[in-house]
Amino acid sequence: GDLDTLTKVANGTFGPSEGLAKAAAWITPQAPIQGFLRPEAMLQTWRKEAQEELPVDLPKGISYLVWSVTPPAQPDRPYEFELALSGEEVGIAQAAPWMQRLAAVAGSVQNGQTPPPEIQSGKEWVSLRMRLTGPQVEQVLGKLGQSFITLPGRSGAPKA
């Protein structure tokens, strides 16, 4: 969406909510690709519309998921990924092990080529920063059992 509109929606009348501000504090403001979701609100809406339980394994109490991606200046350099969650203490306590697993898997494919993933956390937030090349992203997602669309600039990427 339009960045100005998204900013107005996120900030509301009196500035950003405390939860959004906590999560966004761990994201590089200059990252060229950024976004946020309100997972709990989205799931509630989807469940109402579907009128059934969605098969989504997301801890309850995650208010905001904020992310950024900084593409490399050179094709063989790593992308920088940042992910931060904020919400209720119980939701963060359930999400933190998943973030630690993601960091461990990312660290296992880096082969010492980039700094290891960084995790920081508090009672109501958790953040992860990692640097991975396109092939390493594919390896991480493969190990996590996710399908993946090829990153731009990689062979086999869809042409625009």
Side-chain angles (χ1 to χ4, degrees), residues 55-119:
V56 177
D57 187 20
L58 181 72
K60 292 200 183 293
I62 302 297
S63 301
Y64 291 95
L65 181 151
V66 182
W67 76 91
S68 75
V69 177
T70 302
Q74 300 170 345
D76 61 337
R77 302 298 304 155
Y79 290 78
E80 184 168 312
F81 297 93
E82 297 172 314
L83 176 63
L85 305 174
S86 68
E88 297 173 18
E89 190 173 338
V90 67
I92 298 302
Q94 292 174 12
W98 183 86
M99 296 274 277
Q100 291 167 346
R101 179 173 178 242
L102 177 57
V105 170
S108 76
V109 304
Q110 288 180 318
N111 301 323
Q113 298 169 342
T114 56
E118 305 167 50
I119 289 187

Side-chain angles (χ1 to χ4, degrees), residues 4-138:
D4 290 334
T5 303
L6 290 172
T7 301
K8 288 176 186 173
V9 170
N11 288 337
T13 306
F14 302 106
S17 73
E18 182 180 349
L20 178 56
K22 279 182 185 176
W26 303 100
I27 301 299
T28 302
Q30 298 82 15
I33 304 169
Q34 301 181 37
F36 76 93
L37 297 172
R38 296 185 60 206
E40 191 72 31
M42 286 176 37
L43 288 175
Q44 286 175 0
T45 300
W46 290 342
R47 286 184 178 122
K48 277 187 216 172
E49 291 179 9
Q51 296 188 0
E52 60 189 55
E53 196 65 26
L54 289 175
V56 177
D57 187 20
L58 181 72
K60 292 200 183 293
I62 302 297
S63 301
Y64 291 95
L65 181 151
V66 182
W67 76 91
S68 75
V69 177
T70 302
Q74 300 170 345
D76 61 337
R77 302 298 304 155
Y79 290 78
E80 184 168 312
F81 297 93
E82 297 172 314
L83 176 63
L85 305 174
S86 68
E88 297 173 18
E89 190 173 338
V90 67
I92 298 302
Q94 292 174 12
W98 183 86
M99 296 274 277
Q100 291 167 346
R101 179 173 178 242
L102 177 57
V105 170
S108 76
V109 304
Q110 288 180 318
N111 301 323
Q113 298 169 342
T114 56
E118 305 167 50
I119 289 187
Q120 299 178 358
S121 64
K123 288 183 180 180
E124 298 175 337
W125 61 272
V126 61
S127 71
L128 171 64
R129 178 177 290 141
M130 58 188 169
R131 292 166 188 86
L132 300 168
T133 64
Q136 289 171 338
V137 171
E138 293 172 7

